[in-house]
Amino acid sequence: MNKKYLYIYNNLINFTRNKDLYKSLDRDDIFSDRLTLFLLHFAFFLKNFKNEENKIILQEIYDFNFRQLELSIREIGYGDQSINKKMKDYINLFHSMVSEIHFWNKLTRKQKLAKISIFLTDFKKNDQLLDYFEIFDENLSKKTLNSYLKSVSNH
C-alpha cells in the first residue's frame, strides 16, 4: 500500500473529527455520520483537483482512501460479506456525492442546500453544514494538489 497518500487521508479524517462540526449539528459523533462527512470532504477534494494532469494521482488517492476505509470497517468487526456489501454501498454513495456536487460553483444556495440534504437527510442544521462546506471548498480551491502531496515529505 502506498503510504504517500496517508497524509491526505488523515487530513480528511481530521476534518470529519472536528468536534465543533458536531456541536453545531447538535449530534453525537458516530461512525456512520463521520463516514458520510468524510465522503463529502473527499468528494469536494476530488472536485477541486480533478483535471487531466491529476488523473492518475487522484485515482491512486481514491484507491488508497477506500482501502483505508475498508480497513477501518474491518477494525470495527464486520465480517467479510458485510464488508463487501458496506464498501459497495459507500462507493455508490460517494459516486452519487461526486455527481451531485460536480457543478457546485454554478448552483444557488438553495440548490446547494438541496444537494447537501440528499446525503444528510436526518441532520437538523444543514444550512450550517452548507456554510462549512462552502468554506472548505473555497479553501481547497486556493491550494494545489501538489501542496497536499508535498506536505507528506514535510512530516
Side-chain angles (χ1 to χ4, degrees):
M1 190 180 298
N2 193 338
K3 297 285 185 194
K4 70 180 178 181
Y5 302 124
L6 188 58
Y7 178 76
I8 293 170
Y9 174 80
N10 285 336
N11 247 354
L12 293 171
I13 289 293
N14 286 335
F15 285 122
T16 65
R17 287 184 176 156
N18 178 350
K19 295 296 180 199
D20 292 334
L21 189 57
Y22 294 90
K23 283 180 192 169
S24 71
L25 298 175
D26 202 21
R27 293 173 70 93
D28 291 332
D29 177 1
I30 60 172
F31 180 76
S32 61
D33 288 350
R34 191 183 298 170
L35 181 62
T36 300
L37 291 171
F38 170 84
L39 293 174
L40 267 173
H41 282 95
F42 188 35
F44 277 100
F45 180 87
L46 289 183
K47 176 189 84 64
N48 272 279
F49 300 118
K50 183 181 177 183
N51 62 35
E52 200 56 39
E53 180 183 324
N54 295 336
K55 190 175 182 177
I56 293 170
I57 293 170
L58 289 178
Q59 183 62 52
E60 290 173 357
I61 293 169
Y62 172 94
D63 293 343
F64 181 85
N65 280 350
F66 277 99
R67 276 193 301 269
Q68 291 299 112
L69 282 178
E70 183 177 342
L71 290 173
S72 295
I73 294 168
R74 285 184 190 282
E75 286 176 11
I76 291 173
Y78 286 101
D80 284 343
Q81 284 184 321
S82 289
I83 288 171
N84 290 339
K85 183 184 180 325
K86 291 256 183 227
M87 288 307 297
K88 183 179 177 185
D89 291 344
Y90 296 144
I91 289 169
N92 287 338
L93 174 62
F94 177 72
H95 285 274
S96 178
M97 289 174 174
V98 169
S99 176
E100 290 295 333
I101 67 167
H102 184 73
F103 297 108
W104 186 257
N105 299 336
K106 296 179 181 176
L107 300 175
T108 65
R109 180 170 176 83
K110 186 176 179 179
Q111 291 169 321
K112 289 176 181 179
L113 191 56
K115 300 282 185 194
I116 289 277
S117 298
I118 291 169
F119 307 108
L120 307 169
T121 54
D122 60 337
F123 282 56
K124 292 182 179 85
K125 299 180 181 176
N126 286 348
D127 55 326
Q128 289 178 342
L129 260 181
L130 174 59
D131 293 339
Y132 171 85
F133 278 105
E134 287 281 82
I135 292 167
F136 180 72
D137 186 50
E138 184 180 329
N139 289 339
L140 283 172
S141 71
K142 293 177 183 175
K143 295 185 178 184
T144 64
L145 179 58
N146 241 4
S147 68
Y148 283 95
L149 295 174
K150 289 185 191 247
S151 297
V152 176
S153 60
N154 295 336
H155 286 78

